[in-house]
Amino acid sequence: MPSPDDKPVKTIEERIRPVSRRTFLKGSAASIVGMSGLVAALQPLLKLEKEDITLDQLLQRHYKEMTPAQLDKVMKRLQEKCEREYGVSASIQDLKPQDGVGFAYALNLTRCVGCRKCAHACLAENNQSREYDDDISMSYIRVLELQKGSINLETSNQYYDSESVPRKDKYYMPVQCHQCRESPCTKACPVNATWQEPDGVVTVDYDWCIGCRYCMAACPYDARRFNWENPKLEKRQINLDQGYLSNRLRPKGVVEKCTFCLHRTRAGKYPACMEVCPTGARVFGNILDPNSEINYILHNKRVYILKEEVGTNPRFYYFFDT
Amino acid sequence: MLLKPSLAPAFRVCFRSVPFLFLLGFLLALGGFLFARESKPEAANSAQLEEEPTIAGSGGIENHFQPYFGHDEDIHLDKTPPRLIMGLDLNRMGWTYNCMECHTHVEDIRYHREQKFEHENINLEHGNNRYCLNCHHPDNRNAFVDYDGSEIAEPNVTLLCAKCHGPKYRDWKAGVHGRKNGYWDLSQGIQYKLHCIQCHDPHSPAFKPMKPLPPPLYPSRAPAPKH
């Protein structure tokens, strides 16, 4: 039987919110309130950048999804920002991995004397935030002092400050990103903001990182650093030779890490930490080249892999020598 | 040893003035000799050295000189080698100090053990390598000596170390002992390699201890460190 009043059946939506003129007005008033609330809520975000976030910036895509033209635009914007904030004109580049090149690092534990020159050079190269000139808390390298006789990280000490090094009965182990082939950090990232490049280097898209720090928790080598605050840098401390995926200036709230100085190494140069090592304990090269120093070490020296049992299969080797 | 404090200065003055007079008297002859020396080194033992890098510009006017290394754009990185090369062609207190000014007059002491009259500053602590003439050429003090008594020219001093430290030299050649600077990719730029004596003092080769750069700040809320 048809119903007595032959009105069409209302949808569930209409039954709950039948739109009348009155409710429409109410609704738009509410949404105006809502909008202003949203704007208010966004205020801290806008302040954070000391400038209005441009639409471009909000819509910026993941590094891997950007077309070269888009990337150029982003790099230009970053350059302008650096100019505006620090008054220096940086050159930001995005060097691509080369075919037939896989980077690897080897460190001679018998040579290293623990002088920390590498940790400080890292700071000079990579534009990390710092409270004072020698503040290496954000450096990508930690130099551990260990007791001779075993490799026991539990009793290691990175704060040693003796008159001279090496100290008796101690040896030294600089630790930095191992650029693992099976990298736990990239697997932990919920938004794919960190990944491994074809030449083996694990990089971060600083504009994609949401700052959840899962990667830091996943890393067995304590190789990642977090920007709790807007990076503190002075004009004179800035290295102007910058790479998009490596040492360009970072925003607050993102994770950063050693990239084997991509902006140097992809241009054929040695990383900064190796350039300054007074003992020659550091060896860097192309593992895919059978005649490289790295392969000489893998074939002729006693090689040690830190935390091998974790299964990270790193591109960073320690070795012993006589 | 007993003679040292009182007699050493007198001897030194004597040795200095003899070559000086000699120099005045036979200026032409000496000039000719220096010229000859300058053009000679390559010829001495070029056969096995062809691919060896040499220490360019060795024997400058200044006592401490530094072969060029690194790149201008890297001024923010301190690449100074641990040791400055002295060279053999020295100036001391305003005088030339060419080895042969004296050593044409001084008798060689094959198993020389301690310096009484000259070179007192040199304290040889090179393990079992205890004799000066294991390294310095007896007849030409501006060069070093090889196994067979032939000369190793000063710029090739790395070959001197090689004659006794074969395995280390092999590693060094492979780029595994010592330091490289510049470009790993030789198609993109030049590579520099530190020489043995830029890290090791030949007379006291053990690597010298150094002061470490400042540590990271100890986190204020963490318990006190145990050392």
Side-chain angles (χ1 to χ4, degrees):
Chain A
M1 258 182 70
S3 63
D5 44 1
D6 227 340
K7 283 184 187 167
V9 183
K10 285 184 180 174
T11 65
I12 192 137
E13 230 128 272
E14 281 169 321
R15 253 183 290 158
I16 293 171
R17 311 196 200 129
V19 182
S20 66
R21 200 182 123 77
R22 193 182 133 80
T23 50
F24 173 77
L25 281 179
K26 224 163 76 185
S28 39
S31 56
I32 287 170
V33 172
M35 281 297 277
S36 49
L38 184 68
V39 170
L42 278 176
Q43 270 313 307
L45 195 69
L46 296 178
K47 268 193 213 125
L48 184 100
E49 289 287 330
K50 287 206 201 90
E51 55 171 294
D52 296 339
I53 292 182
T54 59
L55 197 61
D56 275 353
Q57 213 166 335
L58 268 178
L59 299 181
Q60 182 179 323
R61 321 192 71 173
H62 189 280
Y63 169 79
K64 290 200 216 173
E65 290 175 345
M66 270 191 275
T67 62
Q70 284 170 325
L71 188 63
D72 274 351
K73 220 168 133 194
V74 173
M75 292 202 285
K76 197 143 164 282
R77 197 188 68 221
L78 290 169
Q79 248 152 358
E80 281 161 9
K81 184 163 181 257
C82 182
E83 182 97 49
R84 198 165 52 238
E85 286 178 10
Y86 296 97
V88 290
S89 53
S91 97
I92 304 180
Q93 282 177 299
D94 180 47
L95 300 172
K96 299 294 181 195
Q98 292 157 263
D99 284 336
V101 174
F103 292 129
Y105 215 126
L107 199 151
N108 189 337
L109 288 177
T110 321
R111 290 283 159 270
C112 178
V113 294
C115 67
R116 284 207 193 88
K117 274 198 159 193
C118 50
H120 285 262
C122 180
L123 207 66
E125 182 68 35
N126 285 310
N127 294 325
Q128 288 102 329
S129 170
R130 66 206 79 168
E131 301 284 336
Y132 51 94
D133 269 345
D134 281 333
D135 178 12
I136 54 168
S137 47
M138 287 291 276
S139 170
Y140 304 149
I141 302 175
R142 299 258 182 270
V143 186
L144 308 181
E145 187 184 61
L146 292 99
Q147 195 64 36
K148 267 190 183 163
S150 72
I151 301 181
N152 184 355
L153 297 186
E154 303 274 299
T155 58
S156 71
N157 169 19
Q158 55 163 306
Y159 302 103
Y160 64 92
D161 193 15
S162 43
E163 261 317 298
S164 77
V165 285
R167 283 207 286 178
K168 210 171 164 289
D169 292 331
K170 305 278 186 195
Y171 71 99
Y172 300 84
M173 178 186 251
V175 181
Q176 67 204 73
C177 177
H178 277 42
Q179 319 289 2
C180 312
R181 294 181 180 85
E182 306 292 331
S183 44
C185 54
T186 57
K187 289 178 191 142
C189 181
V191 296
N192 260 328
T194 179
W195 66 94
Q196 179 145 196
E197 291 270 294
D199 53 10
V201 176
V202 175
T203 53
V204 179
D205 182 347
Y206 305 123
D207 296 324
W208 204 255
C209 174
I210 55 171
C212 70
R213 307 203 291 134
Y214 284 12
C215 55
M216 295 178 73
C219 177
Y221 304 106
D222 184 25
R224 289 176 169 255
R225 306 281 175 268
F226 186 66
N227 286 287
W228 289 99
E229 293 173 49
N230 248 329
K232 290 201 185 85
L233 264 177
E234 282 168 36
K235 186 174 161 181
R236 68 187 160 81
Q237 293 164 333
I238 295 179
N239 179 8
L240 298 177
D241 175 20
Q242 299 181 1
Y244 187 82
L245 289 177
S246 55
N247 65 342
R248 70 169 159 110
L249 304 184
R250 274 81 62 182
K252 173 180 175 173
V254 303
V255 169
E256 57 184 77
K257 65 182 285 298
C258 163
T259 57
F260 281 173
C261 287
L262 268 195
H263 51 287
R264 297 176 66 88
T265 47
R266 280 193 184 160
K269 294 200 251 178
Y270 282 121
C273 46
M274 167 157 170
E275 293 264 12
V276 301
C277 179
T279 66
R282 290 172 166 269
V283 183
F284 177 85
N286 178 5
I287 199 170
L288 298 182
D289 170 6
N291 299 319
S292 66
E293 308 89 318
I294 291 289
N295 277 310
Y296 181 93
I297 289 167
L298 295 181
H299 288 123
N300 297 306
K301 303 284 175 188
R302 284 186 296 138
V303 173
Y304 171 76
I305 292 171
L306 185 61
K307 301 198 185 179
E308 189 175 11
E309 67 281 6
V310 184
T312 48
N313 201 356
R315 286 173 179 271
F316 194 103
Y317 305 94
Y318 294 96
F319 69 103
F320 299 92
D321 201 354
T322 44
Chain B
M1 201 58 197
L2 275 172
L3 282 173
K4 195 174 173 181
S6 52
L7 281 184
F11 266 98
R12 199 180 303 151
V13 168
C14 162
F15 274 120
R16 290 258 163 69
S17 48
V18 168
F20 191 57
L21 289 173
F22 182 82
L23 204 145
L24 282 175
F26 300 92
L27 200 66
L28 266 175
L30 197 76
F33 160 73
L34 285 175
F35 246 96
R37 192 174 75 80
E38 215 125 278
S39 50
K40 208 168 52 183
E42 266 87 19
N45 45 357
S46 52
Q48 78 256 48
L49 319 179
E50 221 86 87
E51 14 104 41
E52 298 311 328
T54 58
I55 297 181
S58 180
I61 297 148
E62 297 171 38
N63 271 4
H64 295 269
F65 77 96
Q66 209 57 83
Y68 180 75
F69 56 90
H71 298 265
D72 295 341
E73 69 267 24
D74 280 353
I75 36 162
H76 58 292
L77 302 176
D78 174 17
K79 304 186 197 176
T80 324
R83 176 176 182 268
L84 291 168
I85 291 179
M86 299 278 284
L88 291 175
D89 200 357
L90 308 173
N91 267 318
R92 288 264 160 90
M93 302 187 292
W95 296 93
T96 59
Y97 194 82
N98 189 297
C99 313
M100 293 316 280
E101 283 174 17
C102 295
H103 279 277
T104 38
H105 308 291
V106 181
E107 209 184 318
D108 295 341
I109 307 170
R110 184 79 195 91
Y111 299 109
H112 180 98
R113 291 309 304 276
E114 67 184 271
Q115 299 82 261
K116 299 194 185 80
F117 314 124
E118 191 59 53
H119 312 315
E120 301 96 327
N121 59 328
I122 290 173
N123 192 10
L124 193 58
E125 293 168 332
H126 198 136
N128 221 2
N129 178 12
R130 290 174 298 172
Y131 303 117
C132 312
L133 299 188
N134 286 352
C135 295
H136 291 277
H137 199 279
D139 305 329
N140 179 7
R141 293 297 156 102
N142 288 308
F144 302 105
V145 64
D146 212 339
Y147 285 124
D148 52 1
S150 62
E151 289 180 15
I152 297 175
E154 191 201 333
N156 299 323
V157 51
T158 299
L159 289 179
L160 168 70
C161 316
K163 88 174 180 182
C164 300
H165 297 290
K168 276 283 168 310
Y169 178 65
R170 189 187 58 208
D171 282 358
W172 179 82
K173 277 218 317 200
V176 172
H177 188 84
R179 185 175 87 194
K180 289 177 165 188
N181 283 109
Y183 286 79
W184 63 266
D185 184 355
L186 296 173
S187 67
Q188 300 196 52
I190 307 168
Q191 195 178 80
Y192 302 88
K193 219 173 193 179
L194 289 194
H195 289 267
C196 316
I197 60 168
Q198 289 183 278
C199 293
H200 299 289
D201 181 340
H203 302 130
S204 160
F207 198 78
K208 303 292 172 287
M210 52 173 88
K211 173 132 185 69
L213 293 181
L217 266 195
Y218 192 75
S220 50
R221 280 176 301 175
K226 11 183 218 304
H227 284 283

